[in-house]
Structure formats: structure tokens, C-alpha cells
Amino acid sequence: MATETEKITNLKSSVAGLNQISENEKSGFINLVSRYLSGEAQHVEWSKIQTPTDKVVVPYETLAPTPDGVEATKSLLDKLVVLKLNGGLGTTMGCTGPKSVIEVRNGLTFLDLIVIQIESLNTKYGCNVPLLLMNSFNTHDDTQVIVEKYSNSNIEIHTFNQSQYPRLVVEDFQPLPCKGQTGKDGWYPPGHGDVFPSLMNSGKLDALIAKGKEYVFVANSDNLGAIVDLKILHHLVENKNEYCMEVTPKTLADVKGGTLISYEGKVQLLEIAQVADENVNEFKSIEKFKIFNTNNLWVNLNAIKRLVEADALKMEIIPNPKEVDGVKVLQLETAAGAAIRFFENAIGINVPRSRFLPVKATSDLLLVQSDLYTLTDGFVIRNKARTNPANPSIELGPEFKKVASFLSRFKSIPSIIELDNLKVSGDVWFGSNIILKGNVTVAAKSGVKLEIPDDVVLENKTISGPEDI
């Protein structure tokens, strides 16, 4: 077996010949692999974990009100940049391009909504909040074309790419592109932890700092709840917090989400992958770990520059094994939330659940397209008519997995304000103006097409054929 040093030496000479990527990307990749091989995985001692106090994870309702007046608001917003992580493809939902161009409501895409939101801030306060999109090599070309349509809008849009790293062949630790895999399959984007070095390497970081920008608000482009919040920004500026992670109370749907802990005097992110098997049940319990990471992050730009230049952001490495054409490969990734422990005066803010509204599957799309939400100035706002703070639980069968088939199976999205649970399986088709209440299960028998007629109200029902409606 090759020693660790030999593996790295061989890898370095192979990577040197990969002319598709920059010197920065080559050194970043070698750095990541060296750290992985040296096994510096940081083990968390379970007994040392402490629940963070309200000083470390600040309750949202205790934040000071923002200063009054347009001028004060403008000067606050002029410190801000919004960055959306736009590297993901909508493949899970059967789409080919960037996920951010899936239509969410009223014919508007995620990206349309983001642009409308920031535009309305810029117009209302006369400020200049730019939008940055971090693409991956998978979404870059499509996004460039899409962004064209906003060229006349009141918003500066910048795009940059996150790093492109070669997949590693498990057997001999050589880059997959050196094995003749010259297409896109030979490469991968190394997770959103890469946002910090990529921001720096693209030249965007220095340009923003030169313009007097101080904070970047980073969020996933598919989280419709991740809107600019002046109270949070004001708090960070006043308290000189270099980093803030928005967390929100866990429900049973979020038990796998990373959580914030106090550990040896520092606040840090604890992910399920770092938890030993015997502690997993405790990690998932809602009693001990009450909050989880929404991946809405607020970070000071000068602090990013300082830490990237010092090569100090050594986030936990997440190994992601894959298979390409029968070859076992490894992707090493990092997560932006794990960087929290390297920043000075880092905090969490325990925000309302409304700031976490991700669309990962068509069941989430059903929620945001329904009467549970309305759309105002690009903001998706929850309908006050729903008294239950939790959203309905929705499970749709594989027939609904792709956006196109999901849309074709609903003549119109049903009313779900009074719905608790919906389970749909089999070949089911919904008419228009249907109202769902309580617990509803619709299970078509195998090989049978089940049509739910227009204008029906289904309340606490299990339906397996027309006779049950």
C-alpha cells in the first residue's frame, strides 16, 4: 500500500496536469485531500457538549428594534450583500437546469422572487444591495443566460463559480479525469463550505470590501424563507459579531439537521455524521438538542478575508462516496455552517420557523403553491387563517416526484389551510377547487386510475376508490 506521503506526491503530479482548473483550485484540492488522509477528523467528546446559553444562541424576540427612518435603514442596508448558493441542479425534481429556475408561484421562479425582493428594498430605501450567485460548473452556463433577463432591473447581479475538484478514484487515489473520464462526471463541486475561498479567489470579496460592504447574508436559493432581516443585521453590526447562524426549533421532520453546541468555550456546529452510533438517538431527540441549522448565515466580509488568507478555515470534511460508471469514487466536501468556530464573537439566532421554507421535493412545492401562502413583493407570506403553527405533513407517491407530472396531476392545488396530514399513493389525479381537511389518505389500487372530482371536500377520509369519496 502506498503511504500517505506517496499518495499525496502522486496525486500532486497528476493534478498538476489537469488544465481545466486554476492553480487555486489545484492547491485547495490537494490541501483538502491531505487533511482527509492525515485523519484530522475532529472527534467530539460527548460528555463535553454543553447546551448553548441565550448569549450564544440569541432568541429572535430579544433582538433590539431596528432604528427608525429611511436614512438609518439605508445606511444599514448599504453594508449588506446577499449571496445565494445556486450550485444545485433540480434533478431530484426531474428538472435539467439550476434548481433556482423552477417555478414556485404565479409563474415566478425562486430566482425571480429573490430579485423582486432585493429590488423592492433597493427602491424603497434608495440603497444598493447587490445579489451574488455562487454557481457550480453544473449551473454556470444556464445561470448566465437566465440572469440576462434582469439586466434592466434595479439590482446589481454578480455571479461566480465555486471550485471544481476532480473526483478521487478510491482504489488508487488518482483523479478520475486522469483515467480518461473527461466529461462532467469526472468532477464535483466541493460543498458550500467552499463559498469563502471562492468568494476570495473570484476577486468579488475585495471588490465588495472596497465598496464599503461589511456583511454577506448567505442562504440556499431554494429556501423561500431566507429573506433580508434588518433586525438581525442591526444586531450583528451593533455587537460586532463576525458570524451568525440562524437556527430554528426542531420538529420531528428535522431530527437529522445539524445543531449548535457550546464546546470547550466555543460555539460550534454538530452534525449527525460526527456523532458516535451510541449517541445518535440522543442527538435526534428534541429534548436535548432543540434547534437545528437553517443554513441562513450572516458573515463579516473582512473576517472572511482574514481567515481565508491565513488558511484558517479548516472545516470538518464530509466524505461523500459515489459510483461513476462502476468506478468507486470519493468526493470530499465541507459545509459553510461548520466554519462558525473559526470566527470571533460568533453567535446563533433562534429565528421563527417562517425563515426556513426550503423546497426540496414536490411535497414542499405543494405547500408553497397552495393557499397556505400568499405572495407580496416577492415575499412568500404564510396565511394567517391557519392557526396551527406547524405545516401539514405531506407524502406524495413516486408518480408525483417530478415537477411536470406533479403539475399535471393537479388541475389546481387544493386548499390545505385546515389539513394536518396528506398521503397519496398510486395513479391519483386531482380535480380543481378541492378542499382537504384533517387527515386524508388517497391510495389508488394497483393498475387503477383514481380521479378526485372537482369541488369536493375531503375531511378525515381514507379513499381507495370512487365509492369512498
Side-chain angles (χ1 to χ4, degrees):
M1 282 298 286
T3 66
E4 193 185 303
T5 321
E6 283 164 2
K7 278 183 179 169
I8 289 294
T9 310
N10 295 339
L11 187 61
K12 268 188 185 160
S13 62
S14 304
V15 168
L18 295 172
N19 53 12
Q20 299 95 319
I21 57 175
S22 69
E23 292 306 314
N24 280 330
E25 286 169 312
K26 289 175 189 176
S27 61
F29 174 66
I30 295 290
N31 192 341
L32 193 61
V33 178
S34 310
R35 283 178 52 215
Y36 173 72
L37 283 175
S38 70
E40 64 161 61
Q42 195 219 358
H43 289 293
V44 176
E45 277 186 56
W46 200 250
S47 58
K48 288 187 180 173
I49 291 176
Q50 292 179 307
T51 304
T53 63
D54 282 0
K55 268 208 175 85
V56 179
V57 176
V58 182
Y60 183 83
E61 52 283 4
T62 66
L63 298 181
T66 45
D68 280 340
V70 172
E71 268 313 302
T73 307
K74 176 186 181 326
S75 76
L76 198 54
L77 282 168
D78 277 334
K79 299 181 195 304
L80 185 68
V81 182
V82 175
L83 191 160
K84 298 287 177 171
L85 302 169
N86 192 46
L89 292 166
T91 39
T92 333
M93 295 160 78
C95 300
T96 50
K99 191 174 177 184
S100 56
V101 299
I102 292 174
E103 286 189 10
V104 186
R105 257 195 105 97
N106 310 13
L108 298 168
T109 65
F110 288 107
L111 206 48
D112 292 338
L113 296 177
I114 292 163
V115 169
I116 294 167
Q117 288 164 16
I118 298 177
E119 239 189 332
S120 59
L121 282 177
N122 285 344
T123 304
K124 186 172 176 185
Y125 297 106
C127 54
N128 175 18
V129 176
L131 170 64
L132 274 75
L133 299 172
M134 181 168 87
N135 298 316
S136 64
F137 60 88
N138 288 317
T139 59
H140 171 79
D141 295 348
D142 287 338
T143 305
Q144 293 309 95
V145 174
I146 294 152
V147 168
E148 282 296 299
K149 74 171 185 180
Y150 307 118
S151 55
N152 297 329
S153 58
N154 179 20
I155 177 175
E156 260 182 53
I157 302 180
H158 301 268
T159 60
F160 66 101
N161 272 16
Q162 72 177 109
S163 306
Q164 173 172 336
Y165 286 174
R167 285 176 161 157
L168 271 175
V169 178
V170 173
E171 191 184 36
D172 59 4
F173 253 71
Q174 282 293 296
L176 190 58
C178 297
K179 303 267 178 166
Q181 175 57 264
T182 50
K184 277 191 173 174
D185 282 348
W187 305 88
Y188 76 99
H192 46 62
D194 186 53
V195 64
F196 306 117
S198 293
L199 199 52
M200 178 90 177
N201 294 340
S202 66
K204 300 288 178 196
L205 185 62
D206 285 334
L208 293 165
I209 292 172
K211 283 186 176 170
K213 301 296 177 189
E214 291 177 30
Y215 279 91
V216 59
F217 172 41
V218 180
N220 295 352
S221 62
D222 66 8
N223 179 6
L224 293 168
I227 59 179
V228 170
D229 187 298
L230 289 164
K231 274 172 91 163
I232 295 178
L233 180 58
H234 179 239
H235 182 89
L236 304 181
V237 171
E238 288 299 298
N239 295 280
K240 302 192 168 41
N241 303 108
E242 288 189 348
Y243 187 110
C244 164
M245 174 187 290
E246 292 185 38
V247 292
T248 196
K250 258 190 205 181
T251 66
L252 290 170
D254 319 300
V255 291
K256 289 184 177 163
T259 191
L260 281 183
I261 56 171
S262 286
Y263 191 78
E264 297 181 332
K266 280 267 196 186
V267 59
Q268 72 180 58
L269 180 67
L270 177 66
E271 297 273 15
I272 194 161
Q274 295 166 276
V275 178
D277 292 350
E278 64 265 25
N279 304 120
V280 164
N281 282 342
E282 199 180 351
F283 175 82
K284 287 182 173 179
S285 86
I286 296 183
E287 283 70 48
K288 179 163 181 170
F289 299 104
K290 298 185 167 66
I291 52 173
F292 76 100
N293 170 21
T294 62
N295 218 36
N296 297 349
L297 310 170
W298 301 73
V299 196
N300 181 285
L301 295 170
N302 283 299
I304 295 174
K305 184 175 165 71
R306 182 186 80 234
L307 292 166
V308 172
E309 284 180 343
D311 192 23
L313 293 174
K314 301 199 184 297
M315 281 93 90
E316 286 73 23
I317 296 170
I318 307 154
N320 186 355
K322 300 255 180 190
E323 206 166 287
V324 179
D325 299 335
V327 180
K328 287 190 164 51
V329 296
L330 192 57
Q331 299 183 178
L332 302 178
E333 301 172 10
T334 61
I340 188 166
R341 61 196 178 92
F342 301 105
F343 288 84
E344 296 297 314
N345 211 356
I347 57 167
I349 292 182
N350 193 351
V351 298
R353 182 76 190 197
S354 57
R355 293 191 56 75
F356 185 66
L357 185 59
V359 179
K360 301 290 182 200
T362 50
S363 50
D364 301 322
L365 208 49
L366 176 61
L367 290 173
V368 298
Q369 292 188 343
S370 74
D371 55 354
L372 202 55
Y373 291 92
T374 54
L375 195 59
T376 315
D377 290 339
F379 298 104
V380 178
I381 297 165
R382 205 161 183 272
N383 191 333
K384 294 213 171 24
R386 178 162 176 99
T387 46
N388 182 347
N391 276 344
S393 153
I394 295 176
E395 276 179 54
L396 302 174
E399 294 78 4
F400 291 82
K401 188 175 175 180
K402 298 193 165 167
V403 175
S405 38
F406 161 83
L407 293 171
S408 69
R409 287 175 178 272
F410 287 98
K411 255 198 218 165
S412 70
I413 300 290
S415 165
I416 58 171
I417 289 183
E418 294 176 56
L419 176 70
D420 296 318
N421 290 292
L422 171 66
K423 277 188 182 168
V424 182
S425 57
D427 188 12
V428 179
W429 299 76
F430 290 83
S432 53
N433 305 318
I434 292 168
I435 298 173
L436 304 175
K437 298 180 178 186
N439 296 306
V440 178
T441 302
V442 185
K445 295 186 183 83
S446 179
V448 178
K449 179 177 182 178
L450 176 55
E451 298 189 40
I452 311 290
D454 299 348
D455 307 315
V456 297
V457 177
L458 302 178
E459 184 168 6
N460 296 324
K461 280 199 161 173
T462 299
I463 292 160
S464 50
E467 65 283 355
D468 303 324
I469 296 170

